[in-house]
């Protein structure tokens, strides 16, 4: 690395933070079954402890996204949760309402044809906004499972109008520092028409909801051939890119770990953001968040691997020589234009990462430091004991 590259990479590392998901530390599964891990978090205290441990080792993930129904017990004091997070060295990040598990949502939430259900869903979101205000969170992150499975099942335009009404009502409840993130997903669990199926629908709903509504891009929520960085460039240019849920996938919303299948795609997404920031001389406010569930990888190891990969790709993308790129584009020199990206992508930025970690008093190898720390072993034995006492299934081959 040249000294100029070293400086740019370290500046990028200084400015980069990514949010871990509370649900990434707990046992998760697929629709075919759940495989338990002894060291998986049991409750919110475990999740925040694990998130704090990952942040202490990596220095780049100081906030934790929470799922209201999965993390907040009914009547729990949100300020106590904020204090618990601080105790573990992290802060509560995005608030995720849950509009997809209650039985009343069988026919949808904001798109339900019964106004009482729509009102029930809205009230849950109002409560989630209040939790966000109480814990000092900036983001309310909305994902909807709403959709239909058969042609003719629902009135597609009526559902659009119900969504518009609810999102507008929700936006009006936001505090002055809160942003509403509207996430899209082409299918699953709906397999005929998902109500917010693509970036265009999310964009339209955000625009109509109000000024503090933006689009959330989940990298797993696209058709295999879709060009995600082009969507990101459009949303950036319209000042409508609110944030990301990063993960990776081979086929659909597989929730594999970021960069495990196609790191070059994440690099190209970050390149669009760096190019936008350089040309507009301002870094857009974007919530970088992880949304994964690692059924097979140990939860904490997978999260360390993920945040380090995100850091590396973000720093690599900062090395693209934008002047050389624009010169090559101006001359339609396709090979040189492509090479400016490839050169940055294949630059070994470990010298910058090591220097950054040293300057921030962080371990040179966060994964090795975690493995040497005994944290996983201690968590497994404590949580195995607690699971037994709670009568919850544990890991192991014949459990
Ligand atoms: C599922 C959904 C969506 C949502 C996440 C957390 O596909 O990505 O953001 O759960 O609620 O992955
Ligand atoms: Mn998501
Ligand atoms: Mn998803």
């Amino acid at each position: 690395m040249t000294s100029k590259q070293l400086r740019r990479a370290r500046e990028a590392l200084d400015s980069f933070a990514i949010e871990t998901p509370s649900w990434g530390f707990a046992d998760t599964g697929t629709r075919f079954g759940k495989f338990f891990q002894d060291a998986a978090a049991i409750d919110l205290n475990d999740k925040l402890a694990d998130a704090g441990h990952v942040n202490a080792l990596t220095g780049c993930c100081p906030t934790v996204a929470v799922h209201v129904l999965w993390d907040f017990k009914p009547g729990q004091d949100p300020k106590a949760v904020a204090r618990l997070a601080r105790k573990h060295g992290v802060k509560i990040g995005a608030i995720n309402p849950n509009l997809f598990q209650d039985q009343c949502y069988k026919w949808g939430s904001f798109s339900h044809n019964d106004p009482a259900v729509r009102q029930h869903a809205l009230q849950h979101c109002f409560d989630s906004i209040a939790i966000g205000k109480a814990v000092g969170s900036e983001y309310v992150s909305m994902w909807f499972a709403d959709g239909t499975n058969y042609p003719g099942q629902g009135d597609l335009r009526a559902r659009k109008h119900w969504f518009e009404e609810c999102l507008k009502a929700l936006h009006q409840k936001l505090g002055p520092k809160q942003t509403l993130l509207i996430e899209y997903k082409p299918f699953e669990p709906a397999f005929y028409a998902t109500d917010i199926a693509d970036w265009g629908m999310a964009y339209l709903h955000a625009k109509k909801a109000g000024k503090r509504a933006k689009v959330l891009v989940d990298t797993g929520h696209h058709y295999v051939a879709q060009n995600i960085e082009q969507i990101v460039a459009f949303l950036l240019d319209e000042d409508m890119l609110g944030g990301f849920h990063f993960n990776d996938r081979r086929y659909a919303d597989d929730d594999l770990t970021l960069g495990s299948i196609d790191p070059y795609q994440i690099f190209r997404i970050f390149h669009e953001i760096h190019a936008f920031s350089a040309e507009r001389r301002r870094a857009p406010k974007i919530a970088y968040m992880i949304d994964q569930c690692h059924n097979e990888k140990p939860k904490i190891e997978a999260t360390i691997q993920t945040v380090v990969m995100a850091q590396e790709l973000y720093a690599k993308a900062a090395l693209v020589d934008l002047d050389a790129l624009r010169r090559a584009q101006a001359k339609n020199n396709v090979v040189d234009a492509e090479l400016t990206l490839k050169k940055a992508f294949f630059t070994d930025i470990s010298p910058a990462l090591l220097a950054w970690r040293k300057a921030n008093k962080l371990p040179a190898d966060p994964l090795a430091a975690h493995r040497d720390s005994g944290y996983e072993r201690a968590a497994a034995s404590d949580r195995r004991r607690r699971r037994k006492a709670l009568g919850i299934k544990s890991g192991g081959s014949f459990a």
Side-chain angles (χ1 to χ4, degrees):
M1 290 184 86
T2 64
S3 55
K4 185 178 170 201
Q5 284 182 319
L6 205 57
R7 192 181 66 254
R8 279 172 65 179
R10 285 194 58 180
E11 282 165 4
L13 292 168
D14 279 339
S15 71
F16 183 72
I18 189 164
E19 185 162 294
T20 58
S22 68
W23 55 94
F25 295 105
D27 275 318
T28 49
T30 67
R31 60 183 177 150
F32 304 106
K34 215 175 189 177
F35 293 99
F36 300 92
Q37 296 187 18
D38 286 344
I42 299 170
D43 57 24
L44 184 56
N45 182 59
D46 294 345
K47 295 172 188 175
L48 293 171
D50 294 355
H53 172 66
V54 172
N55 186 46
L57 292 174
T58 61
C60 67
C61 45
T63 59
V64 187
V66 290
H67 233 281
V68 174
L69 286 197
W70 302 338
D71 293 325
F72 286 79
K73 295 191 187 69
Q76 180 161 20
D77 172 10
K79 290 197 186 304
V81 172
R83 285 194 298 275
L84 186 64
R86 270 199 303 278
K87 184 188 112 188
H88 293 297
V90 288
K91 275 186 71 186
I92 300 297
I95 306 290
N96 290 265
N98 187 315
L99 298 174
F100 50 87
Q101 274 179 301
D102 283 1
Q103 289 304 306
C104 65
Y105 298 135
K106 178 172 181 178
W107 306 113
S109 61
F110 281 12
S111 67
H112 200 293
N113 51 0
D114 178 349
V117 176
R118 298 200 296 271
Q119 191 51 44
H120 175 79
L122 258 180
Q123 188 53 53
H124 172 65
C125 295
F126 294 160
D127 298 344
S128 301
I129 284 181
I131 288 174
K133 286 176 186 168
V135 299
S137 165
E138 291 178 67
Y139 293 101
V140 182
S141 185
M142 306 299 300
W143 173 68
F144 301 89
D146 291 48
T148 50
N149 282 324
Y150 297 96
Q153 178 181 343
D155 177 336
L156 300 177
R157 280 179 292 110
R159 297 169 73 97
K160 172 178 175 286
H161 298 151
W162 293 327
F163 253 96
E164 285 166 6
E165 280 161 28
C166 290
L167 286 168
K168 202 173 192 136
L170 188 52
H171 185 278
Q172 280 160 0
K173 294 277 186 184
L174 289 173
K177 295 200 184 87
Q178 287 182 305
T179 298
L180 187 65
L181 298 177
I182 299 177
E183 183 176 2
Y184 58 91
K185 182 173 184 179
F187 69 95
E188 190 199 29
F191 292 104
Y192 169 69
T194 297
D195 287 295
I196 304 186
D198 63 28
W199 76 271
M201 296 177 195
Y203 172 91
L204 202 74
H205 278 309
K207 273 294 199 199
K208 288 190 170 183
K211 282 206 297 291
R212 284 202 300 282
K214 305 274 184 189
V215 176
L216 189 152
V217 176
D218 184 309
T219 48
H221 291 188
H222 299 85
Y223 297 112
V224 170
Q226 254 179 309
N227 183 325
I228 302 176
E229 64 268 27
Q230 185 183 20
I231 295 170
V232 168
F234 263 66
L235 291 172
L236 272 171
D237 208 46
E238 295 297 325
D239 193 22
M240 288 299 286
L241 177 66
F244 289 91
H245 273 176
F246 283 115
N247 46 64
D248 213 336
R249 55 66 175 297
R250 186 67 201 86
Y251 299 102
D253 188 27
D254 310 335
D255 278 348
L256 301 176
T257 40
L258 181 156
S260 57
I261 305 290
D262 185 356
Y264 190 39
Q265 177 179 66
I266 306 291
F267 165 92
R268 297 194 306 269
I269 288 171
F270 284 144
H271 159 62
E272 288 302 330
I273 293 165
H274 284 303
F276 175 87
S277 308
E279 283 156 21
R280 300 288 181 89
R281 298 192 189 291
R282 66 178 176 87
K285 193 172 175 324
I286 298 172
Y288 295 122
M289 303 184 278
I290 296 160
D291 177 15
Q292 293 167 179
C293 51
H294 340 286
N295 282 329
E296 292 161 334
K297 291 182 177 179
K299 306 285 174 182
I300 293 173
E301 289 199 6
T303 307
I304 291 171
Q305 193 187 23
T306 295
V307 299
V308 167
M309 174 61 75
Q311 273 188 304
E312 284 177 20
L313 294 169
Y314 187 78
K316 281 172 178 269
L319 300 183
V320 172
D321 182 339
L322 294 172
D323 294 336
L325 176 63
R326 297 305 177 221
R327 281 196 304 274
Q329 288 172 339
K331 289 185 221 144
N332 295 308
N333 184 333
V334 177
V335 170
D336 283 5
E338 185 199 4
L339 283 178
T340 59
L341 267 62
K342 285 276 182 63
K343 216 167 126 202
F345 179 64
F346 287 111
T347 299
D348 170 13
I349 64 126
S350 48
L353 252 180
L354 287 172
W356 183 81
R357 286 179 181 144
K358 191 161 178 234
N360 287 282
K361 299 183 179 43
L362 295 161
D365 179 342
L367 186 57
H370 164 64
R371 288 176 169 169
D372 296 345
S373 71
Y375 184 97
E376 187 101 3
R377 211 179 12 265
S381 86
D382 166 55
R383 293 169 191 180
R384 194 184 302 116
R385 180 182 50 73
R386 286 165 49 210
R387 276 191 174 78
K388 204 157 175 226
L390 291 165
I392 304 174
K393 265 191 191 172
S394 212
S397 48
F398 299 102

